[in-house]
Amino acid sequence: MANNTQGEEALLMLSHLYYKILKVNLTKDSHEELKNLDSERSAEMGYSEKISDWFKGFAHSEYIHPDDAEKYLLFSDIDSLRKSFHEGKKYVCCYYRRKVANNFRWVCMELIPAQEYSHDNQIVYLYIRDIHEGFMTDVEEKDFLTRGLNRRGFLRQGKIFMEKAGRDKSYSVLFFNIKGFKAINEFFGTRGGDELLRTIYQHLKKSSLQPILIARSDGDHFYCLIDDTNLNYDDLPELCKITFTKDNKSIRVYARCGIYNITDYSLDISTMCDYAKLAISHIYDEYLKPYAVFDDEMRLNYIMHSEIQGQVHHALTNNEFEVYYQPIVDAHSGEITSAEALIRWNHPEQGIISPGVFIPVLEESGRITQVDSFVLNEVLSFQKARKKAGLKIVPISINLSWMDFYDTKMMETILEELRNGENNLLARFEVTETSYAALSDNEENMIAQLREAGAEVLLDDFGSGYSSFSTFSDYDFDIVKLDMGFVQKIGEDGKIKSIIHSIIDMSHHMDAKVIAEGVETQNQLDFLHRHDCDYIQGYYFSKPLPKEDFVDVLENGLSKE
């Protein structure tokens, strides 16, 4: 009797922690319900006398989150559970989301062997408990790769620290990223790359910086909040060098560091992190001095960048953006054969904002797709109107950012336009080497779909990247655009001439045409003509033109004085 009373007391204590407790016999596929706080819903949740059927019934009920159903089924497979405990497991658990009062909450289902457990009679206890608050904190603020903080956790804890920190001491936020991490990941594989990130995290954590807080925000990016007494600029170059060894292979890894010395305590910690990250773009010799400190000039750039991001929607709504067209001519005849669509921003207060200023900002913020969609619609409208009027049209190429390929709506619009009989609008799309490197297999397949639907794909800025020839060999292009950095060195560097000649010859052997960008002089034109370059784009023939001026040269030809 005493034992029964003790058992009931123990069960009562457990019931405050668990909303369901079962005694499960895996061998007989049965269960005995010891504690259930929502028995009225048991039938709806797949109740069955066989525990295996109960598991399956619950997995297919509305009470489990659809994204967790498959994971739950795999975990609760009765044969798998039997095998786990037969192999000596003392504890197994599964995290999933269960519906409670029309909301999904994280719960944990745990199974542990009972005292009477044996291999021939596998009796275990099954506990289910709500872990939502604690688990969500981990999910939202912990980086499960390093087991430290993620950006969200860093921001929350950094805010708390700075609110309590005395003003008698000075602090800094440091941002680190790893140079060439993609290549490192390929060298060691994904698991090796993950191990490297953990190594870097520990390297920073145990360094002379003695971080108050440290976090991996995403990818190969790390943040540290430090006391300035531990910030020795002379030590930073060595700190930014890490030797990583795995499977008898060693590699020297270089980090870059952006620093924001906290002077304005009214700023939120997120802005401080942005300042530190922005400083990295001002590193000019990343081997001798792999760090940069945020200053007032950078602050002004940051403000401008923020303003640009915030004004894009307004600019689109108020027709501040305009598409210009730069003619592309036949290298031999000088006739216009196509054009490139280029975006211009006529700001009502600042005047014309250079694309070199706002395009990188839009790409960084993820808003570039809004502008690219605008260009796409403008070009299609222009081409359709001229076709309907029976006027001359030439191919007009549109630049696509790597982010555009992840915009399902935009890509579907493009494919629909190509497939609905409008192929004779001669659509062309320019994609940079950098964009190719950022695309996953699915998005690379989208480029193939564009070509299959009748579009031509241009490899833009060929020669500006580090892996140009690898890109050339891995993908199919219709046209290669020779980067203007090569073209503008014609006559200055003898090696450049040989390189350009080789690129043109190689492209032709790959059945691709070549456009030379940035042609400005007769000398450049003559050289490209002699080496069979197909098309010329540049100020020698025409700068980018507003639509009305482009229509004029399209219909009347270019005039060269």
Side-chain angles (χ1 to χ4, degrees):
M1 189 69 163
N3 287 339
N4 286 341
T5 302
Q6 290 175 0
E8 290 173 1
E9 289 177 353
L11 189 60
L12 181 62
M13 291 175 62
L14 288 172
S15 69
H16 294 299
L17 299 174
Y18 302 95
Y19 75 80
K20 187 183 290 294
I21 304 174
L22 302 178
K23 194 171 187 180
V24 175
N25 191 317
L26 296 175
T27 304
K28 296 180 179 179
D29 192 5
S30 62
H31 64 86
E32 175 186 353
E33 191 155 343
L34 302 178
K35 185 69 181 178
N36 179 18
L37 301 185
D38 57 357
S39 56
E40 69 280 1
R41 294 188 179 178
S42 290
E44 296 177 52
M45 298 171 66
Y47 177 82
S48 174
E49 292 184 0
K50 285 189 174 183
I51 191 65
S52 59
D53 289 340
W54 192 349
F55 286 148
K56 292 174 186 175
F58 178 72
H60 292 102
S61 75
E62 63 177 25
Y63 287 92
I64 190 168
H65 195 286
D67 292 344
D68 297 332
E70 184 176 357
K71 173 178 69 174
Y72 179 90
L73 271 174
L74 289 172
F75 170 81
S76 62
D77 177 73
I78 194 77
D79 291 327
S80 296
L81 291 173
R82 288 168 179 162
K83 183 179 179 182
S84 294
F85 287 109
H86 186 76
E87 291 175 349
K89 287 283 183 69
K90 299 297 184 184
Y91 171 86
V92 294
C93 69
C94 177
Y95 302 99
Y96 60 91
R97 284 159 289 185
R98 172 184 176 274
K99 184 181 285 188
V100 179
N102 295 320
N103 293 310
F104 284 103
R105 294 181 63 85
W106 282 99
V107 300
C108 175
M109 180 167 71
E110 307 164 286
L111 290 89
I112 62 173
Q115 188 173 2
E116 59 267 43
Y117 174 90
S118 69
H119 286 323
D120 297 326
N121 197 30
Q122 293 181 305
I123 300 175
V124 299
Y125 284 112
L126 182 153
Y127 304 97
I128 301 176
R129 61 190 173 98
D130 188 301
I131 57 166
H132 192 77
E133 276 71 25
F135 189 76
M136 287 308 296
T137 298
D138 275 354
V139 168
E140 294 174 353
E141 297 189 359
K142 289 292 180 66
D143 172 40
F144 285 92
L145 182 63
T146 63
R147 306 306 299 172
L149 295 174
N150 60 17
R151 178 182 169 89
R152 188 184 185 114
F154 184 85
L155 296 181
R156 187 182 69 82
Q157 294 195 27
K159 179 177 182 292
I160 293 171
F161 178 85
M162 295 308 299
E163 288 173 349
K164 296 179 179 179
R167 300 302 185 257
D168 56 328
K169 300 184 71 175
S170 57
Y171 303 93
S172 293
V173 173
L174 277 60
F175 172 78
F176 292 89
N177 76 346
I178 311 305
K179 179 177 173 58
F181 181 72
K182 185 176 185 294
I184 296 168
N185 221 12
E186 291 176 356
F187 183 68
F188 284 108
T190 303
R191 290 186 178 180
D194 289 347
E195 189 174 327
L196 169 61
L197 292 174
R198 286 190 286 268
T199 299
I200 293 169
Y201 176 84
Q202 291 297 325
H203 173 77
L204 295 174
K205 184 178 181 180
K206 297 175 181 178
S207 71
S208 58
L209 296 173
Q210 300 181 38
I212 298 165
L213 294 173
I214 179 172
R216 184 179 79 101
S217 64
D218 60 85
D220 60 332
H221 298 163
F222 297 84
Y223 286 104
C224 293
L225 173 63
I226 68 167
D227 185 322
D228 281 353
T229 57
N230 298 319
L231 180 57
N232 186 328
Y233 291 104
D234 292 335
D235 292 343
L236 278 179
E238 196 60 35
L239 177 69
C240 289
K241 300 175 186 176
I242 303 113
T243 299
F244 178 67
T245 303
K246 180 177 174 58
D247 300 330
N248 297 319
K249 294 186 292 186
S250 294
I251 189 169
R252 176 63 67 89
V253 178
Y254 295 90
R256 299 185 301 165
C257 176
I259 303 168
Y260 172 64
N261 301 134
I262 300 174
T263 55
D264 185 352
Y265 283 79
S266 67
L267 293 175
D268 59 75
I269 192 76
S270 178
T271 301
M272 296 177 185
C273 289
D274 290 344
Y275 283 174
K277 184 175 182 179
L278 184 62
I280 275 192
S281 61
H282 294 264
I283 294 174
Y284 300 108
D285 189 336
E286 56 194 30
Y287 294 104
L288 292 178
K289 187 181 176 183
Y291 65 88
V293 181
F294 186 83
D295 58 25
D296 287 338
E297 182 180 349
M298 296 181 202
R299 187 190 308 275
L300 292 175
N301 287 334
Y302 176 84
I303 293 171
M304 181 187 66
H305 284 202
S306 299
E307 289 177 347
I308 288 173
Q309 290 182 32
Q311 293 175 9
V312 170
H313 179 73
H314 182 271
L316 287 168
T317 304
N318 290 273
N319 300 314
E320 294 175 17
F321 286 111
E322 183 179 355
V323 175
Y324 276 47
Y325 300 85
Q326 185 170 29
I328 298 171
V329 306
D330 185 284
H332 302 282
S333 69
E335 296 296 317
I336 297 176
T337 59
S338 61
E340 179 182 359
L342 298 163
I343 189 73
R344 294 293 183 265
W345 187 350
N346 188 4
H347 194 281
E349 297 175 0
Q350 301 178 36
I352 298 295
I353 301 177
S354 167
V357 172
F358 71 82
I359 292 295
V361 177
L362 297 181
E363 288 180 333
E364 183 177 338
S365 66
R367 295 178 179 270
I368 189 65
T369 298
Q370 291 176 265
V371 174
D372 288 347
S373 294
F374 168 79
V375 175
L376 172 67
N377 292 330
E378 288 292 302
V379 171
L380 284 173
S381 297
F382 174 70
Q383 295 285 69
K384 288 179 179 180
R386 291 189 63 80
K387 180 191 175 188
K388 185 176 181 180
L391 300 172
K392 177 182 178 181
I393 59 174
V394 296
I396 296 177
S397 61
I398 299 166
N399 290 279
L400 293 180
S401 163
W402 66 269
M403 282 176 273
D404 294 336
F405 290 93
Y406 292 87
D407 188 313
T408 305
K409 184 177 180 180
M410 180 177 179
M411 299 314 295
E412 286 177 350
T413 297
I414 292 174
L415 289 173
E416 184 178 349
E417 288 288 343
L418 291 170
R419 291 166 177 164
N420 70 0
E422 298 287 353
N423 291 6
N424 53 359
L425 293 181
L426 307 174
R428 288 179 169 178
F429 298 96
E430 300 193 15
V431 185
T432 65
E433 293 179 78
T434 304
S435 291
Y436 270 97
L439 298 179
S440 67
D441 291 340
N442 288 340
E443 282 64 43
E444 286 176 15
N445 183 55
M446 180 60 72
I447 293 179
Q449 290 184 54
L450 291 177
R451 297 184 78 229
E452 291 169 3
E456 291 183 314
V457 174
L458 288 66
L459 175 59
D460 195 16
D461 297 336
F462 182 72
S464 63
Y466 294 101
S467 57
S468 301
F469 291 97
S470 173
T471 305
F472 199 95
S473 64
D474 291 341
Y475 306 104
D476 293 322
F477 311 103
D478 300 288
I479 298 173
V480 174
K481 298 194 74 174
L482 187 62
D483 182 63
M484 67 174 62
F486 276 150
V487 173
Q488 292 174 353
K489 291 181 181 177
I490 292 174
E492 301 176 7
D493 188 335
K495 292 180 181 179
I496 290 296
K497 292 183 177 181
S498 298
I499 293 172
I500 292 175
H501 185 192
S502 299
I503 291 173
I504 294 172
D505 189 52
M506 177 179 63
S507 299
H508 288 164
H509 278 90
M510 300 289 286
D511 295 323
K513 301 290 186 181
V514 178
I515 296 174
E517 294 185 280
V519 177
E520 297 179 354
T521 68
Q522 185 69 48
N523 181 45
Q524 294 167 354
L525 179 64
D526 291 342
F527 174 83
L528 293 163
H529 184 275
R530 287 197 307 271
H531 290 86
D532 294 322
C533 183
D534 302 286
Y535 307 109
I536 304 296
Q537 179 180 355
Y539 277 43
Y540 181 84
F541 284 104
S542 176
K543 63 183 180 180
L545 302 169
K547 182 169 62 176
E548 294 76 13
D549 294 343
F550 175 65
V551 167
D552 181 58
V553 299
L554 186 60
E555 295 177 350
N556 301 311
L558 291 161
S559 60
K560 279 297 295 174
E561 297 181 358

